[in-house]
Amino acid sequence: MDGQDDAKQSTADMTAFVQNLLQQMQSRFQAMSGSIISKIDEMGNRIDELEQSINDLRTEMGQEGSALSSDPAKTGEEPKSGGNS
């Protein structure tokens, strides 16, 4: 009955191997999943910072634009004078 014992041992070895392999795969999947989530969070933060920078630039350009439109010398326009054609 050595053959039967060998078959049982072989089955047990294969089962242990498969379980170990599945645990390794699960561990790697969790590590990759965590890494992906971390990178997505980082990308979201960078997008938020970029949006804030764009909004700051818009605000700054709006302030400069209103200053330029009120001062003809800054816009390069000639001041309008009455009737000196």
Side-chain angles (χ1 to χ4, degrees):
M1 301 252 177
D2 263 347
Q4 192 175 16
D5 288 341
D6 287 344
K8 285 181 181 179
Q9 183 61 38
S10 177
T11 301
D13 289 345
M14 183 61 73
T15 301
F17 173 78
V18 170
Q19 286 177 341
N20 185 24
L21 186 62
L22 288 173
Q23 286 175 346
Q24 288 177 2
M25 289 174 62
Q26 182 177 8
S27 175
R28 289 180 184 167
F29 179 79
Q30 287 174 340
M32 287 174 51
S33 178
S35 175
I36 290 169
I37 289 171
S38 172
K39 290 190 185 297
I40 289 173
D41 287 344
E42 180 183 334
M43 197 180 324
N45 290 336
R46 291 175 73 183
I47 288 171
D48 290 344
E49 290 173 4
L50 181 59
E51 287 177 339
Q52 185 60 48
S53 294
I54 290 170
N55 288 334
D56 291 347
L57 286 172
R58 283 182 174 169
T59 301
E60 191 176 306
M61 292 302 293
Q63 290 171 351
E64 287 179 11
S66 64
L68 289 176
S69 64
S70 66
D71 186 358
K74 289 185 180 178
T75 61
E77 295 179 5
E78 293 288 324
K80 295 189 179 162
S81 58
N84 286 16
S85 303

